[in-house]
Amino acid sequence: MEMTTAVTSLSALAHEGRLDAYRLLVQAGPKGLAAGEVARRLGMPANTLSTHLAVLGHADLVQSRRDGRSVIYSARFDRMGELMAWLAEDCCGGAAEVCAPVAAAARRAACASAKA
C-alpha cells in the first residue's frame, strides 16, 4: 500500500459520521446493509449519509451493489486488512514489543468477524 492510499483511507475514517457508518457496515458483515437502513440506524439524513458513503467508497473502504431499488453497502474487509498490515509493517518497523499488541488486536478482530 502506498502512503497516499493509506492517508486517503485514514482521512475517510477521520470523521465521526463516516466512522459510525463504517463501523455499522463492519458489524453487518459481508451481506452489508441498504443505505436507507444505515441512515435510519444512525439517525442521519439520507443526503448526509450519501456524502459519507461516497468518501468511504472513494477510499475503497466500502463497496455498493444494487438489489432491486435498494443500494446495499458493505465494508471492504480486505482493504482494511491491507491498511492494518501496512500500518503494522511501516510503523512498527519489525519491533516485536510494538507489533505484538497490533497483531493481537488483529487476531481478535478476525475471530470476531468469523463469528458474525
Side-chain angles (χ1 to χ4, degrees), residues 41-66:
R41 289 188 190 185
L42 296 177
M44 188 179 293
N47 61 338
T48 301
L49 176 66
S50 178
T51 301
H52 289 325
L53 291 172
V55 171
L56 291 168
H58 176 71
D60 238 3
L61 293 171
V62 301
Q63 59 192 4
S64 64
R65 69 182 186 285
R66 273 232 175 258

Side-chain angles (χ1 to χ4, degrees), residues 37-116:
E37 181 63 15
V38 175
R40 185 188 68 75
R41 289 188 190 185
L42 296 177
M44 188 179 293
N47 61 338
T48 301
L49 176 66
S50 178
T51 301
H52 289 325
L53 291 172
V55 171
L56 291 168
H58 176 71
D60 238 3
L61 293 171
V62 301
Q63 59 192 4
S64 64
R65 69 182 186 285
R66 273 232 175 258
D67 185 10
R69 291 175 35 187
S70 297
V71 179
I72 309 298
Y73 285 88
S74 55
R76 293 271 322 265
F77 293 98
D78 58 333
R79 186 58 144 180
M80 181 53 75
E82 290 172 14
L83 178 61
M84 302 235 355
W86 180 83
L87 286 170
E89 290 169 8
D90 192 61
C91 298
C92 295
E97 67 278 4
V98 175
C99 292
V102 174
R107 280 192 301 277
R108 286 192 307 273
C111 292
S113 65
K115 293 176 185 175

